[in-house]
Amino acid sequence: MMETVAFISTENGDDLIVSFAVIDPADPTEVESLTLLRTPKYEHLLGDWERGVSVSFERYVEDDEELLEALHLDRKSAVVRLTTSLRNYELDIRKIGEREVKAMRKVLTRMNYDRRIRLLGI
């Protein structure tokens, strides 16, 4: 199912964060956060299998660790496809401005410093 994104917020400090505000299909006035998070500063404390970009979606709060495996940005159709260890997401980003997309691309590039993620279109 294609999810519509209302806006994207990013953080580019000790924590590297890309958060998609996904419009809730049950209530179009509400959003649910789909967040990609990586903290390289402390990642060396984790086991190798735990390292990478963690994915959390408010819709699936009961899930265990979900790690990002691939992200494809299709600029022509304005779609972001995420492949994680648990599921796939398709995000419609047509409502998102170029500044937000550029910030997202910058943070995703930093998140992938060790090439654990297959990034396409970034």
Side-chain angles (χ1 to χ4, degrees):
M1 179 173 111
M2 180 82 69
E3 306 279 0
T4 302
V5 177
F7 62 89
I8 299 171
S9 60
T10 58
E11 197 171 309
N12 201 358
D14 283 346
D15 289 329
L16 302 174
I17 300 171
V18 175
S19 187
F20 300 93
V22 175
I23 296 173
D24 183 345
D27 183 356
T29 63
E30 295 292 322
V31 294
E32 299 170 302
S33 293
L34 172 59
T35 303
L36 311 179
L37 168 68
R38 190 162 196 187
T39 309
K41 183 176 182 177
Y42 300 109
E43 198 166 276
H44 69 280
L45 301 171
L46 301 174
D48 188 58
W49 68 93
E50 298 173 295
R51 294 179 186 170
V53 177
S54 64
V55 179
S56 62
F57 193 17
E58 287 179 318
R59 197 174 294 168
Y60 305 118
V61 294
E62 73 285 347
D63 284 342
D64 290 330
E65 189 71 23
E66 184 173 8
L67 293 174
L68 183 63
E69 295 174 351
L71 184 143
H72 178 212
L73 170 60
D74 184 341
R75 294 186 203 183
K76 186 175 180 181
S77 63
V79 172
V80 173
R81 290 179 184 85
L82 305 173
T83 302
T84 75
S85 54
L86 297 179
R87 59 184 55 88
N88 296 313
Y89 301 94
E90 281 196 337
L91 306 174
D92 176 349
I93 60 167
R94 286 180 289 173
K95 295 181 178 199
I96 307 306
E98 186 56 37
R99 176 181 281 159
E100 287 174 271
V101 173
K102 187 176 181 179
M104 173 192 73
R105 291 174 54 226
K106 181 179 179 180
V107 174
L108 287 169
T109 300
R110 284 200 60 208
M111 282 180 170
N112 201 30
Y113 66 89
D114 59 355
R115 301 187 186 270
R116 283 188 182 263
I117 315 162
R118 288 185 317 276
L119 290 180
L120 301 164
I122 299 298

